Amino acid sequence: MTRIMLASVCLFWALVPSSLATAGERAGEREGKGGGGPVTTIYRDVAIIGGGAAGSYSAVRLREDFGVSVVVIEKDSKLGGHVNTWVDPATGRGFDAGVQNWIEINNASAFFARFGVAVQPNVRSVLDQHFIDFETGARLSNYTPPSAIDRSTALRKYLEVAEQFLPILQPGWWNFPPPSQIPADLLLPFRDFVVKYKLAAGIPQIFATTGFGKHNFMDALTLFVMRSFDVSMVRTLLGLDANFVPVSRKNQDLYDAILTSLGPDGLTSSTVVDAHRSAGNGGVELEVYNWATGGTTRVVAKKLLITVAPTEENLEPFHLHRDEKSVFDGLHYSTSVVGIVSHPSLPANASLVNIPATAQPDNWVAAVPSYPYNTRFENYPNSTYYRVIAVGDEAFDKDQAKNMIQGTFDRMVVAGTLQQTAPPQNLSFHLFESHGPVSASASREGVETGIIQKLNDLQGKRSTWYTGAAWSVHLTTSLWGFTDSVLPRVVASL
């Protein structure tokens, strides 16, 4: 058993063309009838698809800092995307299953201050680590994790190399070189990059921090690993950059405050069911259905800002053109499911870590399990609750994830690693949410045939702009930095 300090770290109204609205309709909002029920028509400068980290931030910045009218369309009943805050009904204490804390870059804490959400430095939890092969449920008897010195040395080397690529990786793809000029290191499978720079001692930490977002972590191109485990993350783990959490320990507080500020401009429990985007830059018209009320809103906007993952399912209502579809078809994703569980047999103040037996005694590159996998059971300090994360490929779903996590627990009981209660009982799942498609990546062939340049070329076409993790670094405050580079372009195009 090893005790380790865990850092759970994680960003002008123009005339609407007659094809979208009549002159009389431009005067304001109206009530009408359509689609078999009441239809409300609204007019906005920008319609934002998705109310996660990028969408909520975009709405605030556009409204408050650029004077642009917006509407946010979010399928969930609340904003916030991947924060996944659960509140214990017995104590009122909050537990975050998704986003754990926030890196202080791009003046991120000031964004919280706008909404009166007090923050404080994040205090890292010290947990006892138990190394267990989740395939068998047996505790590893001969595994030695990297020493603190070896781990730090590897992370510093990673940082030294990664910082060289900052100008072409952040804040987004804007400055990414043409295929013939891409640095060779970025096209290496990550396992080869690790060998080249002797980073093996850093692998358990890298994987535990952000690697669980990739189902093919060691085989992914280094380019895309650096989008998940970016320079800011490394600097935070090394104590070079600060990170913070809300004083309330409820990350959802920020997004609840944003939703309140948006008022009627936040359409939650809502989905775009059909869309028309003009061939040029003439605007968009969206049919939005509210699953809670059964009402329909017709949104007429000059620009569309898509912040959700650009998958076929998410973008089906927008009737993608061939050039858009060909680019998005070249992106591949993992699926991440997060949860909060409890069981009397789980040890207090502990993290049960999934380490394959082949990693013994110190083969740290082999410490990454094969997908699909459950990464760990991690105790929230001073509680009986545990955070779990299951990862698979694009077809992985919540039922598979739940069965996997329960199966892991059952194997640990059979192996004698845990003692089952009498009578036996299953895990209690208090929160269980899919993050859906995450960690967008492309094949080496796709990168070498210009998929990144093609992604850039889609920005602004057909009145449509994009932000979100598929276009930037995955960490929230880094993503906010990329979004800050997109929004002036959106405003200039109005």
Side-chain angles (χ1 to χ4, degrees):
M1 182 177 68
T2 301
R3 294 178 68 84
I4 186 170
M5 191 78 73
L6 295 182
S8 299
V9 184
C10 44
L11 314 6
F12 319 131
W13 182 238
L15 293 179
V16 176
S18 59
S19 62
L20 297 182
T22 66
E25 290 169 346
R26 295 186 197 115
E29 301 183 3
R30 66 172 176 81
E31 293 291 333
K33 296 288 181 180
V39 178
T40 300
T41 299
I42 63 174
Y43 302 90
R44 298 292 185 269
D45 291 325
V46 181
I48 301 170
I49 308 303
S56 298
Y57 181 82
S58 296
V60 173
R61 292 275 284 119
L62 286 171
R63 283 199 349 158
E64 297 185 3
D65 301 333
F66 291 98
V68 169
S69 63
V70 303
V71 61
V72 177
I73 301 162
E74 166 56 43
K75 67 179 181 179
D76 203 349
S77 61
K78 58 185 180 301
L79 303 183
H82 295 172
V83 295
N84 301 124
T85 300
W86 176 73
V87 178
D88 182 351
T91 65
R93 177 179 170 183
F95 298 89
D96 292 306
V99 175
Q100 296 294 286
N101 50 48
W102 313 75
I103 298 176
E104 181 61 287
I105 56 175
N106 302 316
N107 201 23
S109 58
F111 189 67
F112 284 72
R114 287 190 183 208
F115 298 95
V117 178
V119 300
Q120 64 187 13
N122 183 46
V123 178
R124 301 177 183 180
S125 303
V126 180
L127 299 178
D128 296 329
Q129 284 203 321
H130 301 254
F131 304 112
I132 299 165
D133 185 342
F134 281 12
E135 290 297 315
T136 65
R139 188 185 305 273
L140 300 187
S141 60
N142 191 32
Y143 175 72
T144 302
S147 69
I149 293 176
D150 288 344
R151 183 173 64 248
S152 176
T153 298
L155 291 178
R156 289 183 182 278
K157 183 60 180 180
Y158 180 98
L159 178 63
E160 175 188 331
V161 178
E163 285 181 328
Q164 300 175 30
F165 304 125
L166 271 178
I168 62 176
L169 294 182
Q170 294 190 34
W173 298 121
W174 305 116
N175 299 316
F176 197 77
S180 62
Q181 299 175 26
I182 299 173
D185 279 348
L186 295 180
L187 297 177
L188 289 175
F190 188 55
R191 67 174 66 254
D192 294 344
F193 181 82
V194 168
V195 171
K196 179 176 179 179
Y197 290 104
K198 299 179 175 60
L199 304 176
I203 290 300
Q205 179 73 78
I206 296 171
F207 177 73
T209 307
T210 55
F212 51 71
K214 290 189 177 298
H215 69 274
N216 59 341
F217 178 67
M218 295 302 293
D219 295 318
L221 294 184
T222 298
L223 162 64
F224 295 109
V225 173
M226 286 187 174
R227 303 280 278 187
S228 295
F229 192 66
D230 81 326
V231 164
S232 297
M233 175 67 77
V234 189
R235 290 183 57 83
T236 300
L237 291 175
L238 291 172
L240 302 175
D241 282 345
N243 61 97
F244 62 88
V245 294
V247 172
S248 67
R249 304 296 301 197
K250 301 173 185 175
N251 286 323
Q252 185 63 44
D253 285 354
L254 172 66
Y255 294 97
D256 288 347
I258 292 174
L259 181 58
T260 297
S261 75
L262 287 174
D265 290 333
L267 301 183
T268 55
S269 304
S270 298
T271 306
V272 175
V273 295
D274 197 17
H276 171 74
R277 298 178 297 151
S278 65
N281 287 303
V284 300
E285 182 176 318
L286 312 175
E287 180 183 347
V288 181
Y289 181 74
N290 185 299
W291 301 96
T293 67
T296 297
T297 302
R298 176 173 170 255
V299 177
V300 181
K302 286 181 281 184
K303 299 297 173 184
L304 184 67
L305 179 61
I306 294 177
T307 72
V308 297
T311 63
E312 181 177 0
E313 180 180 5
N314 284 343
L315 299 187
E316 188 275 334
F318 298 95
H319 310 295
L320 296 181
H321 289 245
R322 284 189 300 272
D323 59 335
E324 296 169 319
K325 191 175 187 305
S326 65
V327 176
F328 296 142
D329 282 350
L331 296 178
H332 308 289
Y333 301 87
S334 298
T335 301
S336 178
V337 183
V338 301
I340 297 174
V341 304
S342 64
H343 193 282
S345 298
L346 291 170
N349 198 41
S351 180
L352 311 183
V353 185
N354 184 4
I355 301 287
T358 52
Q360 299 181 107
D362 55 5
N363 182 10
W364 301 314
V365 173
V368 177
S370 299
Y371 76 92
Y373 51 74
N374 172 20
T375 63
R376 63 183 60 210
F377 290 79
E378 183 173 293
N379 186 216
Y380 292 95
N382 304 312
S383 83
T384 59
Y385 301 114
Y386 298 76
R387 182 184 184 220
V388 292
I389 304 170
V391 178
D393 60 16
E394 292 168 85
F396 192 60
D397 61 30
K398 284 177 65 175
D399 288 339
Q400 291 172 308
K402 181 172 285 189
N403 289 337
M404 173 186 294
I405 292 167
Q406 180 64 56
T408 298
F409 177 84
D410 293 341
R411 286 189 293 275
M412 287 192 289
V413 169
V414 171
T417 302
L418 298 177
Q419 299 300 312
Q420 178 59 285
T421 56
Q425 64 186 76
N426 287 335
L427 291 166
S428 295
F429 286 82
H430 306 280
L431 176 146
F432 205 62
E433 297 290 343
S434 175
H435 284 179
V438 296
S439 297
S441 62
S443 66
R444 176 166 180 162
E445 179 184 5
V447 174
E448 291 182 327
T449 54
I451 189 172
I452 291 175
Q453 286 74 23
K454 293 171 185 175
L455 280 168
N456 282 341
D457 288 344
L458 293 180
Q459 292 281 18
K461 287 188 175 180
R462 301 181 182 91
S463 301
T464 304
W465 293 85
Y466 300 89
T467 184
W471 305 80
S472 176
V473 173
H474 292 199
L475 303 174
T476 298
T477 52
S478 294
L479 175 56
W480 288 351
F482 170 70
T483 301
D484 282 335
S485 75
V486 174
L487 298 183
R489 292 170 164 87
V490 176
V491 173
S493 70
L494 291 172

